[in-house]
């Protein structure tokens, strides 16, 4: 076996945390249950063997002093405390050196603990972690009314499984909802399903953060004379006042009539932008009135544009 420092790619001055970090990176890369690398099994075994030495303070010290080799075997079996070909104090499969065990390093739970930490599962007794199933992703489109009030909606996962998802009131567009245990199966349990919420287009409202924008048609006489008109909201229509002399493009702000507040943002408003609409078809009386207005009271609405 190669020098364990070279296997893990760390210098001899590396700290314990640096050695552990290097091992974690390589173990994830070469783990046979998930790696696509060539000779992953062999590389994974070499990586594990290197960490068994460098990950244990006593064994690392013995290796640095030349007392054991890269496989953890004593270098000088003629010394007292060794026997060529005999099993030492470590027990079956181990090598005794001065009463220290250099075979298992950190006890029978070592491999189980480190691989559970690496892969989020239990070790299967052969040095491999029992892996949790992969997470799966899905999208669901909901109407703005559901986003505002909350409730539930049906979503179909990539597996074809359909289930109901709880939608919290005020949920944001692009919010990911995690469904525990609804992902792909695995030996250490199923993964999760990550459902991303998207707002469906609304025929009247456009979403701007937590605000809603509405284009509000008004008649020419309502704009000129002012009026009280019904304005739609997600919670139902309400009455709003159009001031006399209102021009197209002006916006009325209806406080608190947008999307509900969340932990990150406040309650939104409804912005109703006025759009003056003339009657359909030609109206001779209106045309005569506009000609008279043009001749008697001309004005240039574009004068500020230069």
């Amino acid at each position: 076996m190669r020098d364990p420092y070279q296997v893990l790619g760390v210098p001899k001055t590396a700290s314990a945390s640096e050695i552990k970090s290097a091992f974690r990176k390589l173990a994830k890369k070469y783990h046979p249950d998930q790696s696509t690398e060539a000779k992953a099994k062999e590389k994974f075994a070499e990586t594990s063997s290197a960490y068994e030495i460098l990950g244990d303070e006593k064994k690392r010290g013995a290796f640095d002093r030349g007392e054991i080799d890269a496989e953890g075997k004593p270098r000088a079996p003629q010394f007292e405390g060794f026997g060529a070909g005999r099993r030492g104090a470590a027990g079956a499969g181990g090598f005794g050196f001065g009463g220290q065990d250099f075979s298992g390093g950190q006890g029978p739970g070592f491999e189980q603990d480190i691989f559970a930490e690496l892969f989020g599962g239990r070790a299967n007794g052969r040095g491999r972690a029992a892996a949790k199933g992969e997470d799966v992703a899905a999208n669901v489109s909901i109407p703005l009314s559901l986003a505002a009030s909350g409730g539930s909606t049906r979503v179909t996962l990539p597996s074809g499984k359909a289930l109901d998802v709880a939608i919290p009131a005020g949920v944001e567009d692009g919010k990911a909802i995690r469904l525990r245990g609804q992902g792909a199966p695995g030996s250490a349990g199923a993964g999760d399903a990550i459902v991303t919420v998207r707002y469906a287009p609304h025929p009247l409202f456009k979403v701007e953060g937590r605000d809603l924008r509405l284009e509000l048609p008004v008649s020419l006489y309502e704009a000129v004379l002012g009026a009280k008109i019904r304005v739609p909201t997600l919670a139902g229509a309400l009455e709003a006042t159009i001031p006399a002399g209102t021009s197209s493009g002006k916006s009325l702000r209806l406080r608190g009539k947008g999307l509900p507040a969340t932990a990150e943002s406040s309650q939104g408003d409804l912005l109703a932008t006025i759009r003056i609409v003339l009657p359909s078809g030609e109206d001779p009386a209106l045309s005569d009135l506009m000609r008279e207005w043009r001749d008697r009271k001309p004005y240039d609405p574009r004068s500020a544009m230069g």
Side-chain angles (χ1 to χ4, degrees):
M1 176 179 165
R2 291 189 296 150
D3 184 304
Y5 288 103
Q6 294 179 1
V7 173
L8 297 184
V10 296
K12 290 189 176 182
T13 56
S15 65
S17 62
E18 289 172 333
I19 289 173
K20 184 175 182 179
S21 177
F23 168 68
R24 288 169 60 92
K25 181 178 179 180
L26 292 173
K28 287 184 177 181
K29 181 178 180 181
Y30 296 126
H31 195 279
D33 288 345
Q34 62 186 35
S35 178
T36 59
E37 295 279 343
K39 298 183 178 180
K41 184 176 181 180
E42 292 81 355
K43 292 179 180 179
F44 180 76
E46 185 181 44
T47 299
S48 299
S49 297
Y51 187 69
E52 282 188 15
I53 293 176
L54 300 187
D56 181 274
E57 183 179 354
K58 292 181 179 179
K59 292 174 69 174
R60 181 183 179 185
F63 176 79
D64 289 344
R65 292 189 298 270
E67 296 168 356
I68 61 174
D69 63 16
E71 295 181 357
K73 298 178 180 179
R75 290 185 181 275
Q78 70 274 19
F79 291 165
E80 184 180 357
F82 293 91
R86 62 183 277 262
R87 298 180 184 272
F95 296 89
F97 181 78
Q100 298 181 23
D101 174 12
F102 291 111
S103 65
Q106 302 183 32
F110 166 69
E111 286 186 341
Q112 284 83 350
D113 291 343
I114 192 67
F115 288 112
E117 180 183 353
L118 278 170
F119 301 103
R122 300 186 308 275
N124 63 13
R126 298 187 301 275
R128 293 188 180 181
K132 181 181 177 183
E134 293 184 356
D135 293 344
V136 299
N139 294 313
V140 63
S141 179
I142 63 171
L144 278 179
S145 56
L146 179 58
S149 63
S152 67
T153 190
R154 198 80 168 165
V155 62
T156 301
L157 302 179
S159 64
K161 181 179 180 180
L163 43 81
D164 292 325
V165 178
I167 303 296
V171 64
E172 296 179 341
D173 185 51
K175 177 72 173 181
I177 298 176
R178 182 178 292 272
L179 305 178
R180 302 286 182 183
Q182 297 297 335
S187 56
D192 302 334
I194 312 299
V195 179
T196 301
V197 176
R198 295 295 182 188
Y199 294 161
H202 194 280
L204 297 179
F205 304 112
K206 290 185 178 180
V207 180
E208 296 180 355
R210 305 308 292 167
D211 294 336
L212 298 178
R213 188 170 289 278
L214 166 71
E215 193 173 79
L216 184 62
V218 300
S219 66
L220 178 61
Y221 53 82
E222 287 172 332
V224 172
L225 303 176
K228 291 184 179 296
I229 63 174
R230 302 278 287 174
V231 179
T233 74
L234 286 176
L238 53 79
E239 191 174 79
T241 299
I242 304 297
T246 297
S247 298
S248 274
K250 183 175 181 180
S251 292
L252 305 178
R253 183 179 291 272
L254 281 65
R255 300 285 181 182
K257 298 303 179 183
L259 293 172
T262 67
E264 296 79 19
S265 57
S266 58
Q267 177 88 25
D269 301 330
L270 174 62
L271 304 173
T273 302
I274 301 299
R275 179 170 63 90
I276 297 174
V277 179
L278 298 178
S280 58
E282 186 177 355
D283 186 330
L286 179 60
S287 298
D288 290 343
L289 176 61
M290 291 300 101
R291 290 190 188 95
E292 181 181 355
W293 187 275
R294 179 193 62 192
D295 296 340
R296 293 180 56 190
K297 297 183 178 181
Y299 69 100
D300 183 3
R302 296 171 297 280
S303 58
M305 299 176 67

